[in-house]
Amino acid sequence: MSRSSTSTGQNSWDTASVLSFLIHDFPDPIFALDESGLIVAANDAGLKVAGQSMESLSDTPLTSLLGPEFARKFEQASNAESADEPVRFRCAIQLQGGARSQTDVTILPERSSHSQVHAYVLLVPHSSRQYDEPDLAQMLNVSQGGLNAIFNSGASGIIFFDLDGKIIEANPAVQRMLDYDADELRGKNVLDLVHEPSGLAPATSHGDPFADLVAGTRNHFQSVRRFEHRDGHLVWAQVTVSAVHDEQGEIRYFISMMQDVTEHKLLEDVAVIANEAKASLEEALERIVEELAIQLGFQAAHVLLVHEQSARIVPTGIWYLAEPGMLPNFSELTKATTFAPGAGHVGRVLSSSVATLDRDLPHSADSLRIAAAIDDGLRTGLFVPMIIHNDVVGVIEFYSTEDRDVDPTLLETLTRIAPQLGWLIERERAKEALELKSAELERSNRDLERFASVASHDLQEPLRAIGRCTALLRDQYGDQFEEDAAQLFFFIADGVERMEALITDLLRYSRISTATVEHTLVDLDQVVRDVLQDLTVAIDENDAVITVSDLPVVRGNDTQLHQIFQNLIGNALKYRGQDPPRIRISVRASGSDWLFSIKDNGIGIDPVYHAQIFDIFRRLHARDQYTGTGIGLAIVKRIVEQHQGRLWVESTEGEGSTFFFTLPIPGGNGSHRDDRTAQ
């Protein structure tokens, strides 16, 4: 095929083919009509709403879809003095199945003598107007001159190429995108521009979109591909390729539309790498600098990070080198060099937070490594900041052995990537801080456990001595004291006993907080049976009735789960009302948890205290009313939380209480048997 010209009336493309390409993906139905109102062409949306193929729809009057009113409006549009005077009206369109839909109709006359199209008709559902009519009118004004205008002034790149891949024509947008003039592009194969040739090359492998296009099994395909700029950097483009056929159905040539998406793709790639949880900081930075260096067309890149204590920027040893062994002198000197703010290229970026390009490193007054740069043949350097909250935390330096320039748009893109790079450093710092805190907490817990063990022993021994001495004093010399002394002896013994209980509970609480215990599958039916056996005396003394639903198997620590039920059932017995205790233990599935409840008919709790009762040492009653240390519910809460559960209470004073807690379901909902009653 001969090379086409862009002058009006001389293009080798045909209006209908290019029109089809331009409006193919337009979201609303568009029909092209001849002067008699018969359908000449329609886009995919038009074929869908008509419910017919183009073959069956061709030469059909549009009145069959829009009704007789359309004929009057079409005549009105045909008699309009200018194509800038579209005719608009609303009508009920007949859909497949007999349904009717209110639709806004716009008729745009076509005045070109070069086109067989007399008018274009746009249908938009009345519920939404999804287009800008002036822009649409411009798009549909596809006379030969109109096509030339779109081709030459459009923001998107358009390439025509033949079956061998030879470029027939490329519009100015492509020329600007890749920095080639029209004549240079006409002399190239389209694959010469594609950095990944498989993206556009004909292929026979199953599922290849281009092969499907050549075979005629699809009308077009879309993909994202990298193209090579004249200066060596890469341009990401969203590419749509369509085949243009002749009257016999044979492919005449291909049309490719290109939309520059470099910024979006780079931001996306950096974000994906930065957000990969498994990637270490070093691995992520290595992948990012390699991706950016290849994208920029630079042969080397290196990462430097700000040292938080000294505020100087230091090398990391993270390099990308296009060839192993590159830059031996420069990389060796870099290992031993740090930069203060404002010193050299790196220091200037640290101070200014702005990317810097030096096109002549051998003569640069800013280079602190100029001798090594000359020895290794470096010509161009680019220095890009890594930023967190407006503070530079690192710099990536890129180097080329060639004289290079960087497109200003690409520099702006790199500036917008800077916060993504900074976030990567911030994430690593947060991870390190968390690991440090975890280590400190683990060390603190070990110290607390040792302290609790030693303290309990050291405190209990003097208490036992006080208790023994008081007992001996009372037994051997009690008759020598006055009558009030017996009460004093009682107070001393009671205080010693309560202090010992308090120390024991404190030790138990601290061990729950610090100890790492083994979790296994625990049958709570057996746990509650053991608890009720332990509380037999209290149950009998209070004439209590305890009803227990079928309880599941959970994953946890047997001893600690025993303590949960013992403390909660024990409290229900202790804080009884006037009537004998009636306690109900039940469970149900709630999402991914078991929800347990222990309901009693005791004295209840004022809602004001519902949260406070779980605090350590929190007591709502005097010791002469109810015994205890005030640690029991705090212990229960800590155990439940260590089993990834929650604990709370619902109660009204004088009307009993219900304690709820959750435990995770270990992979099954369990089954329920008959309730069991203990009395």
Side-chain angles (χ1 to χ4, degrees), residues 294-488:
I294 293 173
Q295 180 69 38
L296 291 165
F298 281 69
Q299 293 91 16
H302 173 243
V303 178
L304 304 100
L305 297 178
V306 173
H307 188 266
E308 291 186 271
Q309 281 71 41
S310 67
R312 295 178 69 88
I313 194 159
V314 299
T316 64
I318 298 173
W319 281 89
Y320 162 74
L321 298 173
E323 298 178 7
M326 281 184 63
L327 313 186
N329 301 297
F330 191 80
S331 60
E332 191 63 29
L333 179 58
T334 298
K335 291 180 183 178
T337 306
T338 64
F339 301 86
H345 293 106
V346 173
R348 285 175 56 196
V349 173
L350 179 59
S351 298
S352 67
S353 305
V354 177
T356 299
L357 177 69
D358 191 326
R359 300 178 182 85
D360 189 12
L361 284 176
H363 302 93
S364 174
D366 291 316
S367 179
L368 302 183
R369 296 164 284 173
I370 187 168
I374 293 173
D375 289 342
D376 288 340
L378 293 182
R379 299 289 304 170
T380 306
L382 172 64
F383 308 87
V384 178
M386 306 167 71
I387 298 174
I388 299 176
H389 309 308
N390 298 322
D391 294 326
V392 176
V393 295
V395 173
I396 302 179
E397 50 183 5
F398 300 90
Y399 292 102
S400 176
T401 55
E402 303 169 353
D403 293 326
R404 290 296 315 280
D405 202 350
V406 177
D407 186 276
T409 303
L410 194 53
L411 272 180
E412 292 177 7
T413 298
L414 291 173
T415 301
R416 283 189 281 273
I417 289 175
Q420 288 273 16
L421 300 173
W423 179 86
L424 188 63
I425 306 302
E426 185 176 40
R427 186 190 70 177
E428 186 67 17
R429 288 180 177 176
K431 179 181 176 183
E432 291 175 354
L434 180 61
E435 290 174 350
L436 180 61
K437 288 290 184 183
S438 297
E440 291 176 352
L441 181 60
E442 186 177 349
R443 183 171 57 253
S444 175
N445 284 341
R446 288 196 301 267
D447 293 343
L448 177 60
E449 188 173 11
R450 286 194 296 268
F451 169 77
S453 179
V454 172
S456 64
H457 179 272
D458 291 349
L459 287 173
Q460 285 183 340
E461 281 305 310
L463 281 175
R464 292 191 186 102
I466 293 171
R468 287 194 298 270
C469 291
T470 302
L472 288 173
L473 187 63
R474 182 190 58 203
D475 294 342
Q476 295 183 18
Y477 304 103
D479 55 354
Q480 298 181 27
F481 289 95
E482 296 180 358
E483 186 176 342
D484 292 342
Q487 188 176 10
L488 295 176

Side-chain angles (χ1 to χ4, degrees), residues 532 536 539-540 543-547 582 677-679:
L532 296 180
T536 297
I539 292 172
D540 292 342
D543 194 24
V545 175
I546 303 177
T547 302
R582 297 293 181 265
T677 300
Q679 185 170 9

Side-chain angles (χ1 to χ4, degrees), residues 536-553:
T536 297
V537 174
I539 292 172
D540 292 342
E541 287 179 349
N542 287 281
D543 194 24
V545 175
I546 303 177
T547 302
V548 186
S549 297
D550 166 43
L551 299 178
V553 173

Side-chain angles (χ1 to χ4, degrees), residues 231-245:
D231 68 11
H233 84 261
L234 302 179
V235 176
W236 283 100
Q238 173 79 42
V239 179
T240 301
V241 182
S242 295
V244 178
H245 300 80

Side-chain angles (χ1 to χ4, degrees), residues 176-240:
R176 292 190 299 271
M177 192 183 301
L178 303 180
D179 195 27
Y180 290 101
D181 62 34
D183 289 335
E184 289 174 312
L185 287 170
R186 293 189 195 105
K188 290 183 177 291
N189 189 292
V190 69
L191 300 185
D192 295 338
L193 304 176
V194 182
H195 190 68
E196 299 164 321
S198 61
L200 289 176
T204 57
S205 60
H206 178 70
D208 183 273
F210 196 93
D212 294 340
L213 192 66
V214 173
T217 57
R218 65 190 303 164
N219 295 323
H220 71 291
F221 76 86
Q222 288 186 338
S223 62
V224 177
R225 288 291 178 262
R226 292 195 294 192
F227 292 80
E228 192 163 356
H229 191 274
R230 176 196 289 275
D231 68 11
H233 84 261
L234 302 179
V235 176
W236 283 100
Q238 173 79 42
V239 179
T240 301

